[in-house]
Amino acid sequence: MFHGEAIRLAEDLRGKLGAQHLPLRDQVLAALRTAIIDGDYLPGERLTEDRLAEDFGVSRNPVREALRVAEAEGFVVILPRRGAVVASPSSATIADMFAVRQRLEALAARLAAERSTAADVAALRALLEQGREATEQQDLRRVAELNSALHLRILAISGNPWLSSIAKALYLHVQWIFRLGAAERAPHSWAEHIQLVDAIESGDGDRAEQAALAHLDAASAAAYENAEGGYGVR
């Protein structure tokens, strides 16, 4: 069943889908991704074409096409005789994701420490404050968005455009996996983010790299635990 926020999303989408310049399939795909990443559709939840067509106010054809792409991206699994269900990120998927993040974010943190300006650090501090407020308010959707925003900002501050380019697709999954465990993980994550930003501000590349790796070790452990727990309803 839809949660209140998902109902709001569906109603909002009915007025927007079809009015944009993107092909309808791509609009449905973007809406489906958002609903999965935000936790409106939970791992293991069945997604029939009829249900999605009703939720998004479109016909079944763009839904069917969007589901195929979502399956290729790893957000959906299409099973014989059962149809589409929201994927449950496995321990292997998490291991692959964090293997990339460890290389990517450790380098980004080092470069950010070496290259950041006072304005860059101020922008990171502003995101930290927003994350603190969202965590205190238990706005887990917003916390997950800000988690990705912070890491993507560090990647941008690194000054290496290849890092940011590589990270674009990855961070859809980072945000999704973080959101699934955000109820328990968020307070610890933002405390670690403070240490990471402090290290970047210090200008010490070694310290920043170690802070990034420590954060990723804790994040990966939490993600593994959540996967082994079967992604219970939050």
Side-chain angles (χ1 to χ4, degrees):
M1 291 292 289
F2 253 143
H3 302 298
E5 281 297 310
I7 293 172
R8 177 203 55 73
L9 173 66
E11 291 174 346
D12 188 45
L13 286 168
R14 287 193 185 99
K16 291 182 178 178
L17 295 187
Q20 303 175 33
H21 296 299
L22 287 174
L24 193 55
R25 182 208 69 175
D26 293 343
Q27 296 178 49
V28 173
L29 176 61
L32 177 60
R33 277 199 210 106
T34 297
I36 291 172
I37 290 170
D38 286 348
D40 295 323
Y41 299 133
L42 294 169
E45 190 169 347
R46 191 177 178 207
L47 299 174
T48 66
E49 291 178 9
D50 287 341
R51 174 192 178 181
L52 293 178
E54 181 179 354
D55 287 347
F56 298 144
V58 297
S59 69
R60 290 174 57 183
N61 284 340
V63 166
R64 186 178 303 117
E65 295 170 3
L67 283 170
R68 291 195 194 103
V69 179
E71 181 183 34
E73 293 179 341
F75 289 107
V76 165
V77 178
I78 299 178
L79 303 172
R81 295 182 297 279
R82 192 180 175 199
V85 298
V86 179
S88 299
S90 66
S91 295
T93 297
I94 290 168
D96 287 343
M97 185 184 79
F98 276 95
V100 174
R101 288 189 68 186
Q102 284 173 341
R103 303 300 187 275
L104 203 69
E105 294 181 27
L107 176 57
R110 171 179 288 277
L111 291 175
E114 295 169 353
R115 299 174 176 178
S116 63
T117 65
D120 290 330
V121 173
L124 293 175
R125 295 285 183 200
L127 287 169
L128 288 177
E129 178 60 19
Q130 292 174 53
R132 181 192 64 77
E133 292 174 355
T135 299
E136 288 180 353
Q137 295 166 5
Q138 283 290 290
D139 186 348
L140 301 181
R141 184 192 310 265
R142 180 66 174 151
V143 171
E145 291 173 352
L146 289 165
N147 178 70
S148 290
L150 180 77
H151 286 292
L152 288 170
R153 181 62 65 90
I154 292 170
L155 285 160
I157 291 169
S158 78
N160 186 324
W162 293 106
L163 292 178
S164 295
S165 177
I166 291 168
K168 284 182 180 178
L170 173 67
Y171 264 84
L172 292 173
H173 289 266
V174 170
Q175 185 169 330
W176 179 29
I177 288 173
F178 181 90
R179 171 65 184 85
L180 290 171
E184 291 79 21
R185 174 69 185 144
H188 308 288
S189 181
W190 286 98
E192 294 156 18
H193 287 158
I194 292 170
Q195 295 178 7
L196 176 57
V197 173
D198 286 347
I200 289 171
E201 185 176 27
S202 76
D204 185 332
D206 287 339
R207 178 183 168 189
E209 182 175 331
Q210 290 306 310
L213 290 173
H215 171 54
L216 290 168
D217 283 346
S220 63
Y224 279 124
E225 183 177 352
N226 201 28
E228 291 171 0
Y231 299 106
V233 176
R234 302 299 177 196

